[in-house]
Amino acid sequence: MRMRSPLLFLIFLAAAALIAADAPFDWPRARELFQRSQSGAQLTPDEQKIVDEAKRRVAAGENPNGSPQPPPAPAAPSAAGSTPVPNIDMEKARALFQRAQSGEKLSPEDQKYLDEAKRQHNQGGPRTPGGQPQQNQNPPPPPPQNLVPLTELTGKYQDQDGGLYGGGKNDPSPELSARAQQTLAQIRPLDANGKPSADGRIVLVSLGMSNTTMEFSTFKQLADNDTHKAANLVIVDCAQGGKTAAAWAGNDQPWEVAVDRLQKAGVSPAQVQVMWLKEANAGPSTGWPAATDQLRDDIRTDIKRAREKYPNLRLIFLSSRIYGGYATTRLNPEPYAYEGAFAVRSVIREQPADGPTLLWGPYLWTNGEKGRTLDGLKWVRDDCGTDGTHPSKSGQEKVAHLLLDFFTNNPHAKPWFAKPS
């Protein structure tokens, strides 16, 4: 879910306090539009012209107060001769490498990203436009120490009660359980046109950002080698690095990549019936409840679009983020990682009467090494990568095992996930 942006461009735009007298230009507006485009929003043609004009002015040496600006030192080209990515997410690159090593053919976009990661790694890591090693900017404040897992919250947090489903309850209400049972009865093997077929497939996909694809791709390897998995179940990782909740909501590109992955797996969008959705937004800064409300609205839009792309989507399991207290950047630190669960809960509790049934998947958050009372889950520093936000190999495996246990045993997942006993 990492956003990448040209560093000097952001520096110039962030300094936009004055407008050049000889060439009036709305630099604050340009900065706002640029940030929206980097989060995945689609700009109108007129808005894109503003961003393009800002880039042209920066490239020409102009800064917001009108004084000349020396051009940045040119960056070394990548091994493939393409424009290098300035801020490579090495944890995402590791996940891509693992997928490639397992025999999966990467998309051209993913292969390009992996190649650039290798190039930067061989040259000592990512660099600034001036050629210096990239350093973390504006580290987040220390995480709150009093956060309690939603599954064990007996008091209030920001006037919100505990329980995955609210009211201290971690199981769906009788009404939601009954709806889920009706949904289960509709899940059956389908052919490529979405018609019931004895030799058809049930497809489980993921939707989310870098953390999601790192965890789900590891889960897929576990599940595909598990003897309990149903023979007609096909698992396809459609989550993608950098594709935040906002990006899926406002951009067609991740959906196109998802369809390409389905085709490479030998299945079609019409065969997708179950989804694991785990999302967040990058760089939240508006605090409670604004950031949580925005995430809630973006997830709702993601689900609406998923219904359009996957006409037979029946069941969506949602999870919130892992612990973010080790974060060294503001990509998605605490308490935003914790508060994302309340966005998920709102989406589930206020789900429309029609469309796929929404249920909680595994709840992944716990307060670091304090652990959870109910199952002992802990997140130690080694479970996270160098940025403290993405899962390391052990973190990926931890989530993968939680997913496998959930789908193998949950009453709303076991009937279609596991072989008949």
Side-chain angles (χ1 to χ4, degrees):
M1 64 178 194
R2 196 177 185 97
M3 291 195 299
R4 305 184 300 276
S5 56
L7 184 59
L8 279 183
F9 183 45
L10 283 180
I11 291 174
F12 296 150
L13 296 184
L18 300 173
I19 299 176
D22 59 340
F25 187 74
D26 191 346
W27 286 100
R29 174 64 170 160
R31 181 177 187 273
E32 173 196 351
L33 293 174
F34 179 76
Q35 291 176 330
R36 281 176 50 201
S37 70
Q38 290 297 290
S39 68
Q42 284 189 314
L43 303 182
T44 67
D46 288 342
E47 290 173 336
Q48 187 60 53
K49 288 179 181 178
I50 294 175
V51 173
D52 292 342
E53 174 63 14
K55 291 179 179 179
R56 185 194 68 77
R57 289 170 178 259
V58 170
E62 180 182 340
N63 78 14
N65 64 12
S67 62
Q69 182 72 29
S78 67
S82 58
T83 302
V85 180
N87 292 308
I88 284 290
D89 179 349
M90 287 302 176
E91 296 299 332
K92 172 187 172 181
R94 185 177 295 114
L96 292 175
F97 178 76
Q98 291 173 343
R99 284 167 49 193
Q101 290 294 101
S102 67
E104 179 180 346
K105 181 175 176 58
L106 300 181
S107 68
E109 175 187 335
D110 285 343
Q111 187 61 57
K112 179 180 177 181
Y113 196 94
L114 180 57
D115 291 343
E116 174 61 19
K118 292 177 180 178
R119 185 193 70 80
Q120 290 194 7
H121 178 75
N122 291 337
Q123 293 187 359
R127 302 275 170 169
T128 68
Q132 298 300 314
Q134 180 69 51
Q135 302 293 326
N136 288 325
Q137 300 293 326
N138 299 320
Q145 298 299 307
N146 60 342
L147 300 180
V148 178
L150 188 56
T151 50
E152 300 177 3
L153 180 61
T154 57
K156 292 290 185 73
Y157 177 82
Q158 302 285 16
D159 204 34
Q160 298 289 313
D161 62 9
L164 296 179
Y165 292 91
K169 305 294 184 181
N170 292 321
D171 295 314
S173 66
E175 294 78 13
L176 184 53
S177 290
R179 174 177 171 173
Q181 288 300 319
Q182 294 175 349
T183 300
L184 283 174
Q186 299 173 351
I187 297 177
R188 64 194 70 181
L190 303 176
D191 64 19
N193 295 316
K195 304 299 182 182
S197 172
D199 58 353
R201 296 289 181 265
I202 296 171
V203 178
L204 164 64
V205 299
S206 59
L207 187 153
M209 67 293 190
S210 52
N211 285 45
T212 312
T213 186
M214 295 165 75
E215 296 155 356
F216 197 81
S217 60
T218 305
F219 156 74
K220 172 178 167 56
Q221 295 178 30
L222 282 177
D224 285 346
N225 291 317
D226 192 285
T227 57
H228 297 96
K229 184 179 80 72
N232 59 12
L233 176 65
V234 178
I235 301 172
V236 183
D237 177 26
C238 292
Q240 300 157 43
K243 304 310 178 187
T244 61
W248 285 93
N251 197 324
D252 288 335
Q253 192 268 343
W255 298 100
E256 295 167 356
V257 172
V259 170
D260 181 65
R261 291 185 183 179
L262 290 169
Q263 292 174 344
K264 290 178 179 178
V267 293
S268 72
Q271 292 173 296
V272 175
Q273 298 182 73
V274 189
M275 171 182 287
W276 181 54
L277 188 156
K278 178 190 169 184
E279 267 297 9
N281 276 327
S285 61
T286 52
W288 176 277
T292 303
D293 290 347
Q294 183 62 58
L295 178 59
R296 174 201 63 199
D297 294 344
D298 287 335
I299 292 176
R300 284 175 177 165
T301 303
D302 294 345
I303 291 172
K304 180 181 179 181
R305 299 200 69 185
R307 291 178 60 187
E308 298 168 354
K309 303 296 182 180
Y310 309 130
N312 293 307
L313 183 59
R314 308 289 188 192
L315 193 56
I316 301 179
F317 294 98
L318 296 93
S319 295
S320 56
R321 265 187 44 81
I322 62 174
Y323 179 64
Y326 302 119
T328 60
T329 75
R330 292 181 181 267
L331 189 60
N332 202 262
E334 296 297 349
Y336 292 105
Y338 174 74
E339 292 171 351
F342 294 98
V344 170
R345 188 171 74 174
S346 293
V347 171
I348 293 174
R349 293 175 70 175
E350 300 164 11
Q351 60 184 287
D354 60 340
T357 299
L358 312 181
L359 298 169
W360 270 96
Y363 178 63
L364 309 175
W365 192 94
T366 188
N367 200 341
E369 296 188 21
K370 291 183 179 180
R372 297 200 301 225
T373 303
L374 296 178
D375 59 7
L377 176 69
K378 295 182 179 181
W379 280 99
V380 300
R381 184 61 185 85
D382 287 346
D383 289 330
C384 297
T386 54
D387 66 357
T389 302
H390 294 84
S392 65
K393 186 174 186 298
S394 65
Q396 295 169 43
E397 292 173 348
K398 185 170 289 188
V399 174
H401 282 285
L402 289 170
L403 282 167
L404 184 60
D405 180 71
F406 178 88
F407 286 121
T408 304
N409 296 293
N410 184 274
H412 302 117
K414 184 177 179 180
W416 51 265
F417 184 88
K419 291 179 180 177
S421 54

